[in-house]
Amino acid sequence: MSTTQSDRLRGLLEPLVHAKDLDLEEIEVSRAGRRGLLRVIVDSDEGVELDACAELSRAISEKLDETDAMGEGEYVLEVSSPGADRPLSQHRHYVRATGRLVKLQLTEAAGGDEVIARILTVDDDGLDLEVPGVKGRKPTARRVAFADIAKARVEIEFNRKDKKEEEA
């Protein structure tokens, strides 16, 4: 997708997304056979309900029908939330992942280590983490600055207790 098309789509769709109290995370345009594919990824602090995606999809479809932003050809529109294993790249992603287990790849300057830990708190400078203990040892605390993170991704936990479960 060209930068001008990306910028134009972002400018066109961002007000619709914000009107639904969502954040526009990503816009991706590609080819799917003869048709184009427009994938719009949205998120919020509370997550995204399926009904919200459906409502937003209708609003985006109407707006795109009024313009020539997708050109003359046929296209498929997909509106969804980010996958559970999407990369964490912005401050709000880390805030939303508080309490979750993450895999961090540190920069070479920070040692280049891979760290798997639970995010306890997030501030403007970095993360306070709880590194799980190995072989019966107690977890340890660790501080990582955002500048020291090369890549980060949420680790999927199948036996993770839900916050509501913990409060009960």
Side-chain angles (χ1 to χ4, degrees):
M1 169 170 68
S2 71
T3 304
T4 53
Q5 185 184 25
S6 174
D7 292 343
R8 184 170 181 211
L9 283 169
R10 184 167 287 278
L12 194 64
L13 303 182
E14 212 154 26
L16 298 173
V17 173
H18 287 288
K20 302 282 184 195
D21 292 324
L22 299 171
D23 294 317
L24 180 57
E25 294 292 344
E26 187 178 341
I27 296 174
E28 180 184 315
V29 177
S30 59
R31 300 291 313 159
R34 289 187 228 169
R35 292 186 267 180
L37 172 64
L38 172 58
R39 184 172 287 130
V40 179
I41 309 295
V42 297
D43 202 4
S44 79
D45 290 343
E46 294 79 35
V48 181
E49 298 287 327
L50 187 58
D51 289 343
C53 283
E55 287 175 28
L56 183 58
S57 180
R58 284 189 290 274
I60 289 173
S61 182
E62 287 173 15
K63 183 59 106 176
L64 291 174
D65 287 348
E66 296 170 4
T67 70
D68 65 346
M70 287 301 296
E72 294 297 317
E74 293 181 22
Y75 66 92
V76 174
L77 171 62
E78 289 181 9
V79 177
S80 67
S81 61
D85 63 345
R86 70 123 183 261
L88 304 176
S89 59
Q90 296 186 21
H91 186 269
R92 69 175 178 260
H93 298 163
Y94 291 97
V95 171
R96 290 175 184 159
T98 299
R100 305 286 307 268
L101 198 63
V102 295
K103 182 190 286 187
L104 306 173
Q105 180 65 49
L106 301 182
T107 62
E108 290 300 320
D113 295 335
E114 183 176 275
V115 176
I116 297 178
R118 190 166 310 281
I119 298 176
L120 299 176
T121 61
V122 180
D123 60 30
D124 291 340
D125 301 316
L127 313 170
D128 289 315
L129 305 170
E130 178 184 74
V131 181
V134 181
K135 296 182 182 176
R137 293 189 178 130
K138 291 184 178 183
T140 57
R142 181 163 181 183
R143 174 78 181 168
V144 176
F146 286 122
D148 294 337
I149 300 172
K151 290 193 280 186
R153 193 175 290 279
V154 170
E155 287 285 282
I156 298 173
E157 297 177 83
F158 293 105
N159 60 354
R160 178 177 177 254
K161 286 185 179 177
D162 191 346
K163 287 180 185 176
K164 292 176 187 169
E165 224 177 277
E166 291 174 2
E167 292 170 1

